[in-house]
Amino acid sequence: MPRIVQKYGGTSVGDVERIKKVAERIKGSRDEGNQLVIVVSARAGVTNELIARAKALTAHPQERELDQLLAIGEQETIALTAMALHGIGIPAVSYTGAQAGIFTDKEHTKAKIKTINAKPIEKDLAEGRVVIVAGFQGINEQGQITTLGRGGSDLTAIALAAALKADKCEIYTDVDGVYTADPRVVKTARKLDEISYDEMLELASAGSKVMQSRSVEFAEKYGVIFEVRSSFNHNPGTIVKAEVAYMEQVVVRGVAVDKDQAKVIVSNIRDQPGSAAKVFRALADAGIIVDMIVQNLGSQGVATLTFTVPQGDTHKAVTALAPVLAAIGGEVAVSGEIAKLSVVGVGMKTHSGVAATVFQALADAKINIELISTSEIKISVLIALERADEAARAAHAAFKLEKA
Ligand code: ADP
Ligand code: ASP
Ligand code: MG
């Protein structure tokens, strides 16, 4: 019997009517003779609402309590999805992350999956039940509920597909697949039939929230081929896998925007060996992921370091830097009014002129570039937040991504 893991995102299970539609879809796939494990997200907006409620009570909620709270979003939808299936005569059982045997490390709010005990799910499948698993959550060795980072239901699905040796993994969402840019922002964006893990990973880590980046990393590591497709129609989606035989020799595959970064400026630090090491050691020890970094040429014995961190980590960053700056001098300032625009494509490895094209497109649109960073297959620039969508359209047009 073919075994399929299907994941339904927040919009797909957004209300009771949509959950009924998802149940019909699941029934259809089961009628075709498939064994099914279903991962669901919280209803669209619920996770954000819960975070807002927490922050209304305390500016920086304890991460353990935040995980306790956020896990209820998915706990609601698993139970409702199971009930919807019962309503149409399908045997189904719902599991929280802990009940599904998803064990994580202890990092609250961004836990990593360590192991999955698939035995209970295997038993249900053998007995003919559809298994519904809460996305985005697990349990750590201390018995505490953890969550896997925003968008983490994707990771739950990919990890279950690997653990259960599923024949297919389908990520159902509210767009037809992976596009050359966010189709809600760039109207001319084109759906890709296939994309390689490497390009999908760069797009995801550059802010294309269609897939959580860690889930793509996991899929690549364990060789999980998956399809991103719409839960609202039956159009074929986008296949994500290792090797993609692209017909066309495209240099740039897609454009992504990340609006969740903040810029941190550490000015007037002593311009001497070890200053940067101390700053970034403190951030690393606080578990903060630093993305773009520039240091200006020092003058009069002082220098300025500018870098970006996830917006949710700015308070942590400032707190972590306080003792360091007390020792080496300097002040810290934070701005959230920035966005990162990235263009991604494996063809960049062997082509020149990609950076020049991006910079020219932005220059023509009179959009100022604050920071630049590159990898083998990605060029990113930091720009003003309010120009981000416009910049995405300009870059998309400059590389003619609307054309196959
Ligand atoms: P879900 O709740 O199903 O996980 P998400 O909101 O997390 O859905 O992700 C789907 C959204 O990702 C789409 O609605 C789209 O606006 C956005 N998106 C951003 N970049 C892309 C892209 N390159 N291709 C497709 N969708 C994208
Ligand atoms: N509900 C979680 C979030 O909003 C996980 C997910 O949707 O994948 O981030
Ligand atoms: Mg998502």
Side-chain angles (χ1 to χ4, degrees), residues 229-246:
R229 53 186 301 185
S230 171
S231 67
F232 300 130
N233 60 46
H234 286 86
N235 299 341
T238 303
I239 308 284
V240 187
K241 57 185 190 176
E243 294 293 326
V244 174
Y246 292 117

mmCIF file of all heavy atoms in Angstrom, residues 229-246:
data_model
loop_
_atom_site.group_PDB
_atom_site.id
_atom_site.type_symbol
_atom_site.label_atom_id
_atom_site.label_comp_id
_atom_site.label_asym_id
_atom_site.label_seq_id
_atom_site.Cartn_x
_atom_site.Cartn_y
_atom_site.Cartn_z
ATOM 1 N N ARG A 229 1.849 21.938 -3.322
ATOM 2 C CA ARG A 229 0.697 22.119 -4.206
ATOM 3 C C ARG A 229 -0.488 22.731 -3.458
ATOM 4 O O ARG A 229 -0.464 22.873 -2.242
ATOM 5 C CB ARG A 229 0.320 20.784 -4.844
ATOM 6 C CG ARG A 229 0.110 19.667 -3.845
ATOM 7 C CD ARG A 229 -0.121 18.349 -4.538
ATOM 8 N NE ARG A 229 -1.279 18.401 -5.415
ATOM 9 C CZ ARG A 229 -1.761 17.366 -6.079
ATOM 10 N NH1 ARG A 229 -1.195 16.185 -5.978
ATOM 11 N NH2 ARG A 229 -2.813 17.501 -6.838
ATOM 12 N N SER A 230 -1.505 23.074 -4.194
ATOM 13 C CA SER A 230 -2.645 23.763 -3.593
ATOM 14 C C SER A 230 -3.659 22.780 -3.023
ATOM 15 O O SER A 230 -3.931 21.738 -3.619
ATOM 16 C CB SER A 230 -3.326 24.632 -4.653
ATOM 17 O OG SER A 230 -4.543 25.142 -4.138
ATOM 18 N N SER A 231 -4.250 23.152 -1.889
ATOM 19 C CA SER A 231 -5.324 22.328 -1.334
ATOM 20 C C SER A 231 -6.672 22.745 -1.913
ATOM 21 O O SER A 231 -7.696 22.153 -1.605
ATOM 22 C CB SER A 231 -5.357 22.470 0.193
ATOM 23 O OG SER A 231 -5.749 23.778 0.546
ATOM 24 N N PHE A 232 -6.668 23.790 -2.753
ATOM 25 C CA PHE A 232 -7.941 24.309 -3.282
ATOM 26 C C PHE A 232 -8.254 23.834 -4.693
ATOM 27 O O PHE A 232 -9.310 24.131 -5.234
ATOM 28 C CB PHE A 232 -7.934 25.847 -3.257
ATOM 29 C CG PHE A 232 -7.754 26.410 -1.863
ATOM 30 C CD1 PHE A 232 -6.809 27.387 -1.600
ATOM 31 C CD2 PHE A 232 -8.532 25.944 -0.806
ATOM 32 C CE1 PHE A 232 -6.637 27.886 -0.317
ATOM 33 C CE2 PHE A 232 -8.372 26.437 0.480
ATOM 34 C CZ PHE A 232 -7.414 27.412 0.727
ATOM 35 N N ASN A 233 -7.299 23.155 -5.347
ATOM 36 C CA ASN A 233 -7.560 22.627 -6.690
ATOM 37 C C ASN A 233 -6.738 21.358 -6.882
ATOM 38 O O ASN A 233 -6.067 20.905 -5.938
ATOM 39 C CB ASN A 233 -7.221 23.688 -7.759
ATOM 40 C CG ASN A 233 -5.765 24.115 -7.699
ATOM 41 O OD1 ASN A 233 -4.868 23.276 -7.607
ATOM 42 N ND2 ASN A 233 -5.522 25.420 -7.744
ATOM 43 N N HIS A 234 -6.788 20.786 -8.061
ATOM 44 C CA HIS A 234 -6.035 19.551 -8.290
ATOM 45 C C HIS A 234 -4.888 19.761 -9.279
ATOM 46 O O HIS A 234 -4.408 18.819 -9.904
ATOM 47 C CB HIS A 234 -6.980 18.424 -8.732
ATOM 48 C CG HIS A 234 -7.803 17.901 -7.581
ATOM 49 N ND1 HIS A 234 -9.002 18.483 -7.190
ATOM 50 C CD2 HIS A 234 -7.570 16.916 -6.700
ATOM 51 C CE1 HIS A 234 -9.464 17.848 -6.123
ATOM 52 N NE2 HIS A 234 -8.617 16.891 -5.808
ATOM 53 N N ASN A 235 -4.458 20.998 -9.441
ATOM 54 C CA ASN A 235 -3.333 21.276 -10.340
ATOM 55 C C ASN A 235 -2.061 20.623 -9.818
ATOM 56 O O ASN A 235 -1.853 20.574 -8.606
ATOM 57 C CB ASN A 235 -3.089 22.791 -10.434
ATOM 58 C CG ASN A 235 -4.284 23.532 -10.998
ATOM 59 O OD1 ASN A 235 -5.143 22.929 -11.630
ATOM 60 N ND2 ASN A 235 -4.359 24.830 -10.742
ATOM 61 N N PRO A 236 -1.215 20.143 -10.742
ATOM 62 C CA PRO A 236 0.081 19.636 -10.279
ATOM 63 C C PRO A 236 0.882 20.774 -9.654
ATOM 64 O O PRO A 236 0.764 21.936 -10.074
ATOM 65 C CB PRO A 236 0.755 19.113 -11.547
ATOM 66 C CG PRO A 236 -0.009 19.671 -12.696
ATOM 67 C CD PRO A 236 -1.373 20.046 -12.206
ATOM 68 N N GLY A 237 1.674 20.446 -8.637
ATOM 69 C CA GLY A 237 2.427 21.484 -7.941
ATOM 70 C C GLY A 237 3.874 21.540 -8.392
ATOM 71 O O GLY A 237 4.170 21.362 -9.571
ATOM 72 N N THR A 238 4.755 21.796 -7.435
ATOM 73 C CA THR A 238 6.195 21.873 -7.695
ATOM 74 C C THR A 238 6.887 20.726 -6.971
ATOM 75 O O THR A 238 6.688 20.548 -5.760
ATOM 76 C CB THR A 238 6.768 23.203 -7.157
ATOM 77 O OG1 THR A 238 6.060 24.282 -7.762
ATOM 78 C CG2 THR A 238 8.253 23.322 -7.449
ATOM 79 N N ILE A 239 7.687 19.953 -7.701
ATOM 80 C CA ILE A 239 8.440 18.858 -7.091
ATOM 81 C C ILE A 239 9.795 19.388 -6.624
ATOM 82 O O ILE A 239 10.494 20.052 -7.391
ATOM 83 C CB ILE A 239 8.685 17.712 -8.101
ATOM 84 C CG1 ILE A 239 7.378 17.260 -8.766
ATOM 85 C CG2 ILE A 239 9.431 16.560 -7.438
ATOM 86 C CD1 ILE A 239 6.495 16.408 -7.898
ATOM 87 N N VAL A 240 10.124 19.114 -5.375
ATOM 88 C CA VAL A 240 11.414 19.545 -4.836
ATOM 89 C C VAL A 240 12.272 18.307 -4.623
ATOM 90 O O VAL A 240 11.867 17.378 -3.911
ATOM 91 C CB VAL A 240 11.232 20.315 -3.509
ATOM 92 C CG1 VAL A 240 12.558 20.899 -3.046
ATOM 93 C CG2 VAL A 240 10.190 21.419 -3.664
ATOM 94 N N LYS A 241 13.439 18.270 -5.279
ATOM 95 C CA LYS A 241 14.290 17.076 -5.211
ATOM 96 C C LYS A 241 15.752 17.454 -5.493
ATOM 97 O O LYS A 241 16.045 18.634 -5.732
ATOM 98 C CB LYS A 241 13.802 16.030 -6.207
ATOM 99 C CG LYS A 241 13.746 16.525 -7.641
ATOM 100 C CD LYS A 241 13.140 15.464 -8.539
ATOM 101 C CE LYS A 241 13.315 15.851 -9.991
ATOM 102 N NZ LYS A 241 12.848 14.847 -10.926
ATOM 103 N N ALA A 242 16.638 16.454 -5.468
ATOM 104 C CA ALA A 242 18.076 16.752 -5.547
ATOM 105 C C ALA A 242 18.488 17.262 -6.922
ATOM 106 O O ALA A 242 19.034 18.351 -7.060
ATOM 107 C CB ALA A 242 18.886 15.517 -5.173
ATOM 108 N N GLU A 243 18.241 16.466 -7.929
ATOM 109 C CA GLU A 243 18.717 16.820 -9.259
ATOM 110 C C GLU A 243 17.544 17.251 -10.110
ATOM 111 O O GLU A 243 16.556 16.544 -10.217
ATOM 112 C CB GLU A 243 19.380 15.596 -9.927
ATOM 113 C CG GLU A 243 20.654 15.151 -9.249
ATOM 114 C CD GLU A 243 21.769 16.164 -9.388
ATOM 115 O OE1 GLU A 243 21.827 16.835 -10.437
ATOM 116 O OE2 GLU A 243 22.573 16.296 -8.445
ATOM 117 N N VAL A 244 17.661 18.389 -10.715
ATOM 118 C CA VAL A 244 16.585 18.862 -11.570
ATOM 119 C C VAL A 244 17.155 19.120 -12.955
ATOM 120 O O VAL A 244 18.099 19.886 -13.121
ATOM 121 C CB VAL A 244 15.956 20.150 -10.987
ATOM 122 C CG1 VAL A 244 14.947 20.734 -11.940
ATOM 123 C CG2 VAL A 244 15.296 19.831 -9.655
ATOM 124 N N ALA A 245 16.590 18.423 -13.934
ATOM 125 C CA ALA A 245 17.068 18.596 -15.308
ATOM 126 C C ALA A 245 16.348 19.781 -15.926
ATOM 127 O O ALA A 245 15.335 19.638 -16.587
ATOM 128 C CB ALA A 245 16.793 17.326 -16.105
ATOM 129 N N TYR A 246 16.866 20.980 -15.643
ATOM 130 C CA TYR A 246 16.215 22.160 -16.195
ATOM 131 C C TYR A 246 16.396 22.190 -17.712
ATOM 132 O O TYR A 246 17.492 21.998 -18.213
ATOM 133 C CB TYR A 246 16.807 23.428 -15.591
ATOM 134 C CG TYR A 246 16.502 23.592 -14.127
ATOM 135 C CD1 TYR A 246 17.513 23.604 -13.189
ATOM 136 C CD2 TYR A 246 15.183 23.714 -13.682
ATOM 137 C CE1 TYR A 246 17.237 23.755 -11.842
ATOM 138 C CE2 TYR A 246 14.897 23.865 -12.344
ATOM 139 C CZ TYR A 246 15.929 23.887 -11.420
ATOM 140 O OH TYR A 246 15.650 24.030 -10.089
#
